[in-house]
Amino acid sequence: MMESWLAWARGPVFIAAFSFMVLGLPRHVGITVWEVARAVHRAGDKNIPYRKMIAATIGWLIPVGKLWNQVLFSLTSLLFHVAILIVPIFLGGHIALWARGLGVSWPAVSNPAADVLTIVAIVTAVALVVQRIASRSTRALSRFQDYVIPLVVALPFASGFLLMHPSVNPFTYNATFFVHVMSGNLLFVLIPITKLSHIALLPGVQIVSEVAWHWPPDAGSKVAVALGKESEPI
Amino acid sequence: MKKGKYSYFVEKKALETTERPRKFLEAFAAVLEYSNYGLPLEVYARLSTKCSRCASVCPLYEATGEDRDIPCHRSELLLRVYRRYFTAAGIMKARMFGGFTLNDEYLDRMAEEYYRCTACRRCKATCPMGVEHGLITHLSRWLLAEINIIPKALLVSVREQLEGVGNTSAIPVLALKDTCGFLEEEFRDNFNVDVKFPVDVEGAEYVFFPAVSDYLLEPDTLMGNAAVMHVTGGSWTIGTGDYDGINYGLFYSDRMMERIVNNVVAEVRRLKGRKVLVGECGHATRSAWFIPTFCGPDAPEVVNFLQYTYRQMRAGKIPLKGDKIEERVTYHDPCNIARAGRITEEPREILKAICGDFVEMTPNRTENYCCGGGGGLVSIDEIRAFRTGPMGKRKADQLRATGAKYVVAPCANCKKQLREVIEDNGLEGMEVVGLHDLLLKVIDFGAGPAAQGQEKEEK
């Protein structure tokens, strides 16, 4: 019984969820690139400091220089990101699946290292939520997804750790495996439709913010006409 | 004086509330259609992670600790409207589950909160998601303006500039000429030198646009400007068609901003001038930097007076007296010229050359604290207690820590605001001046190139 559920999760559900992400993220990127190009095309001042934007983007993709502000929260966040990026992609077991399915492979991290990073991922995910609740300013900003997403991200890591260490796993292997695969699938679906879309959008946001100040020359007059205010006194 | 519905005064028509939400959304739709603001809104609405790093760099939130003063909290006000009415997911969600609806109360909240932000953009540099909260404030104010919610102080100035006398201080041309004549006389009396304020000279390299209020309030700054032009033999003129660099459109409406910028360029073209020379004014400079936006790549080049003076000083064209200014001097970076790192070093180099005791305030340059009067707030007199209290607290602390006698602020708005901050926070003995006010004290009129005939100024 559990086995067929597992096969379902690893088969059709995985393919559907993973495809949703694989189609969803490039869609965001495509639309953003298109809109940036359109905005620059319409802009009166096309002189955009691309170099500066690229430098700022790299600065935020590798944010070690940005830890001074809210040090604990930032450090937690940095560790969290490092762990959740490395483990799923470079885990030996995952690479073996890719090799079997698509015939591609790449170097893996050692299992003990993956264990440490997995624990880091779980601890920092919980810590992010705790800090979010503990700080008044983040609490004031938080929506439902802000509390839930780190915990959803922690699920595949927690279940994955139990899979790798059957001796400490109080649940059956198949049930754990099912939770592992399904929570991963859930994440794939959430990525394009929640704030997790920053996975794809972050590298473009500095340029988006810059281009936003480059306006079409006649935007104001056209808005005036559209609102019937072109001859209205101030 | 009795306060009305908002903390700032508005005109009567702002208080008519018939169908305001519908009108706001119509304006929003038109703006999304014709401007480039749809792009950032779409991206920000998706990826804002609500981390609150911005909270710890906002001088206002640091002072008040109120949730509504967190930059991201404020931006969410507009993003929520955008998501609900302009994204497919938001429209669908509203159909199925109801939820948020834009109403009058919500608009009043926006009206209040977007004028509690000076759009200093300090928070931009700390947002991991690169969200530009200053842009959201800028855009929200435009949208509010389309339903007539505009601080009266800003509205009246723009009306005077575009439909009245032609400038925000309502100075007629005759009075302008009088003032220039008076300043020329001051030069003769105090410095024994014949410095001109050229008016309507065709074909001058630079057409001069200070904050027009300088003619009323900052004679020393203007005399410093003229003195630099005199000793460097610069070719410049004041145009009687438009002599006001102020552009409050930047603070509440792109529509007004476009018209004001176009007037500046028209005046330069009328006089067959080549460049726009902006006086000591932050927002006038930033507005002028939008000239290529409205007038294309062939538009006249924009030079801020600090840049001109710095270049001339480096070229050795500004003769100085032997004595430096002895009193301690510090420098306030106006957000509009410093935040993006465009003008930070030039004024410091000049000050170091003319001051014996120059100290920095911390943080500075691109990380400076706003004076508290940015985004047009300084012109709204009825909110002075807010500006110099919570909004100006950080700045007051910074100023106090320097122990300076002179605070140099090359911006008409910063100058007014800092004077009030100093007064209201008991910082005695501190004086706010322009950079050219100090320069005027140390320029040596004895041996400038002007004395040996006009020298052709290189670019």
Side-chain angles (χ1 to χ4, degrees):
Chain A
M1 173 69 178
M2 197 65 226
E3 263 166 43
S4 54
W5 277 110
L6 188 56
W8 175 75
R10 295 181 67 180
V13 181
F14 169 76
I15 290 169
F18 198 73
S19 310
F20 187 75
M21 178 184 77
V22 165
L23 295 172
L25 289 184
R27 179 179 169 272
H28 288 330
V29 174
I31 290 175
T32 307
V33 169
W34 173 263
E35 288 295 324
V36 166
R38 184 163 155 263
V40 173
H41 179 74
R42 302 207 304 186
D45 179 7
K46 295 181 170 49
N47 190 7
I48 291 155
Y50 288 108
R51 254 163 207 255
K52 213 174 139 191
M53 297 302 110
I54 291 168
T57 303
I58 293 170
W60 281 111
L61 289 178
I62 309 163
V64 280
K66 318 278 188 186
L67 295 174
W68 55 270
N69 177 347
Q70 301 194 350
V71 182
L72 190 62
F73 199 9
S74 301
L75 200 62
T76 312
S77 172
L78 182 69
L79 287 173
F80 171 74
H81 281 87
V82 168
I84 64 168
L85 281 176
I86 292 178
V87 176
I89 299 173
F90 295 102
L91 187 79
H94 286 180
I95 297 172
L97 290 174
W98 285 110
R100 204 177 66 195
L102 294 176
V104 290
S105 73
W106 50 88
V109 292
S110 70
N111 279 347
D115 279 346
V116 172
L117 286 172
T118 302
I119 291 166
V120 168
I122 298 164
V123 170
T124 52
V126 174
L128 282 177
V129 178
V130 170
Q131 288 177 36
R132 188 171 274 282
I133 295 169
S135 149
R136 176 176 170 166
S137 55
T138 24
R139 213 165 52 230
L141 294 171
S142 297
R143 304 153 297 183
F144 179 68
Q145 61 161 299
D146 298 309
Y147 295 112
V148 171
I149 283 175
L151 300 177
V152 176
V153 172
L155 265 183
F157 287 87
S159 51
F161 188 82
L162 294 177
L163 284 180
M164 296 289 274
H165 302 275
S167 56
V168 295
N169 187 359
F171 311 106
T172 68
Y173 183 83
N174 278 351
T176 316
F177 210 155
F178 181 75
V179 171
H180 183 66
V181 177
M182 280 308 280
S183 55
N185 290 343
L186 176 62
L187 270 181
F188 294 144
V189 173
L190 290 179
I191 281 171
I193 59 171
T194 60
K195 66 173 180 176
L196 290 174
S197 56
H198 74 264
I199 293 171
L201 291 172
L202 186 65
V205 72
Q206 298 293 337
I207 191 125
V208 164
S209 290
E210 174 64 29
V211 167
W213 288 109
H214 291 249
W215 310 331
D218 50 359
S221 354
K222 281 185 173 162
V223 167
V225 172
L227 299 176
K229 292 183 176 181
E230 64 271 43
S231 50
E232 189 178 271
I234 293 166
Chain B
M1 202 182 292
K2 190 181 153 284
K3 290 269 167 65
K5 188 170 183 179
Y6 308 115
S7 358
Y8 44 88
F9 297 131
V10 289
E11 293 199 324
K12 242 192 203 136
K13 62 178 177 179
L15 301 173
E16 293 164 6
T17 53
T18 359
E19 299 202 293
R20 276 198 318 182
R22 181 181 61 77
K23 288 177 189 160
F24 183 88
L25 292 173
E26 275 172 13
F28 205 164
V31 165
L32 288 176
E33 169 82 24
Y34 297 112
S35 77
N36 278 343
Y37 292 121
L39 167 68
L41 289 178
E42 179 69 25
V43 173
Y44 297 164
R46 281 189 188 284
L47 59 51
S48 171
T49 55
K50 312 294 172 197
C51 69
S52 96
R53 278 169 64 99
C54 53
S56 50
V57 297
C58 175
L60 179 63
Y61 180 71
E62 284 181 322
T64 66
E66 287 181 44
D67 294 345
R68 64 173 175 169
D69 293 330
I70 303 169
C72 203
H73 198 270
R74 182 185 298 113
S75 293
E76 181 63 19
L77 278 179
L78 186 71
L79 291 178
R80 190 175 298 140
V81 178
Y82 174 78
R83 274 195 216 98
R84 160 64 183 84
Y85 292 96
F86 299 99
T87 65
I91 294 166
M92 232 150 62
K93 201 169 138 195
R95 286 252 167 95
M96 292 193 290
F97 311 110
F100 170 69
T101 311
L102 182 65
N103 56 23
D104 270 315
E105 207 183 353
Y106 193 87
L107 287 170
D108 287 338
R109 212 177 126 200
M110 290 179 77
E112 200 60 40
E113 293 188 25
Y114 285 113
Y115 281 95
R116 283 177 73 84
C117 167
T118 64
C120 80
R121 304 193 293 148
R122 191 168 193 265
C123 45
K124 164 69 169 63
T126 62
C127 180
M129 297 297 126
V131 174
E132 172 84 281
H133 300 293
L135 181 96
I136 301 280
T137 293
H138 176 94
L139 170 60
S140 303
R141 287 180 179 192
W142 182 15
L143 298 173
L144 288 167
E146 296 300 351
I147 55 168
N148 299 317
I149 300 176
I150 307 161
K152 195 174 175 181
L154 301 181
L155 179 63
V156 167
S157 297
V158 168
R159 185 178 292 146
E160 198 59 56
Q161 191 174 25
L162 290 173
E163 293 175 350
V165 172
N167 59 77
T168 48
S169 296
I171 302 174
V173 173
L174 261 179
L176 169 84
K177 286 183 172 169
D178 261 9
T179 306
C180 291
F182 171 75
L183 295 177
E184 287 171 357
E185 217 166 280
E186 286 282 291
F187 269 115
R188 280 190 293 273
D189 292 351
N190 298 335
F191 299 92
N192 198 25
V193 58
D194 210 11
V195 172
K196 288 277 170 239
F197 282 83
V199 173
D200 279 342
V201 178
E202 280 201 10
E205 180 173 9
Y206 295 101
V207 182
F208 183 50
F209 293 90
V212 78
S213 52
D214 281 6
Y215 289 108
L216 301 174
L217 305 169
E218 308 291 342
D220 286 349
T221 306
L222 289 175
M223 286 174 74
N225 293 151
V228 167
M229 287 325 251
H230 176 80
V231 296
T232 60
S235 146
W236 70 306
T237 187
I238 297 162
T240 52
D242 187 358
Y243 38 94
D244 188 3
I246 288 178
N247 191 336
Y248 287 166
L250 178 70
F251 301 145
Y252 81 82
S253 168
D254 288 9
R255 283 209 285 132
M256 298 305 136
M257 186 171 167
E258 180 183 326
R259 290 171 62 181
I260 298 165
V261 167
N262 284 335
N263 285 354
V264 165
V265 173
E267 178 66 353
V268 176
R269 293 200 166 130
R270 181 182 76 86
L271 291 167
K272 302 185 177 66
R274 278 187 285 143
K275 295 172 190 169
V276 173
L277 180 63
V278 187
E280 290 197 8
C281 185
H283 92 276
T285 307
R286 181 139 171 262
S287 304
W289 282 335
F290 278 88
I291 285 176
T293 289
F294 298 118
C295 309
D298 304 328
E301 188 188 326
V302 175
V303 179
N304 176 287
F305 223 114
L306 301 172
Q307 296 171 312
Y308 176 84
T309 300
Y310 172 67
R311 256 182 254 155
Q312 297 297 325
M313 186 173 261
R314 278 199 61 172
K317 290 195 176 171
I318 302 182
L320 300 174
K321 293 176 193 158
D323 301 332
K324 288 188 172 187
I325 289 157
E326 291 303 326
E327 294 92 342
R328 177 169 289 184
V329 173
T330 188
Y331 180 72
H332 163 76
D333 286 280
C335 303
N336 280 315
I337 59 172
R339 184 70 63 215
R342 288 184 74 157
I343 301 179
T344 54
E345 303 314 309
E346 295 90 334
R348 289 183 164 79
E349 292 301 320
I350 299 168
L351 287 173
K352 282 174 193 161
I354 64 170
C355 301
D357 185 10
F358 173 73
V359 292
E360 289 282 5
M361 46 179 112
T362 35
N364 53 54
R365 295 181 169 85
T366 57
E367 290 173 20
N368 80 317
Y369 280 113
C370 173
C371 62
L377 298 199
V378 68
S379 304
I380 309 173
D381 280 325
E382 59 271 25
I383 59 167
R384 173 166 171 165
F386 166 72
R387 277 192 280 115
T388 62
M391 197 55 119
K393 185 180 175 301
R394 283 284 143 184
K395 200 77 229 176
D397 295 344
Q398 256 190 316
L399 294 178
R400 193 176 287 118
T402 63
K405 162 87 171 84
Y406 291 120
V407 182
V408 173
C411 169
N413 283 345
C414 299
K415 277 177 194 156
K416 173 172 187 278
Q417 161 75 5
L418 290 175
R419 281 180 192 131
E420 293 175 359
V421 164
I422 285 169
E423 207 180 302
D424 295 357
N425 289 275
L427 298 167
E428 274 148 36
M430 207 171 250
E431 198 180 322
V432 180
V433 292
L435 185 140
H436 287 83
D437 307 33
L438 291 187
L439 198 53
L440 181 65
K441 293 176 193 259
V442 294
I443 284 187
D444 183 359
F445 291 103
Q452 300 114 37
Q454 298 272 314
E455 199 171 303
K456 192 85 192 150
E457 189 242 328
E458 44 157 18
K459 193 182 164 208

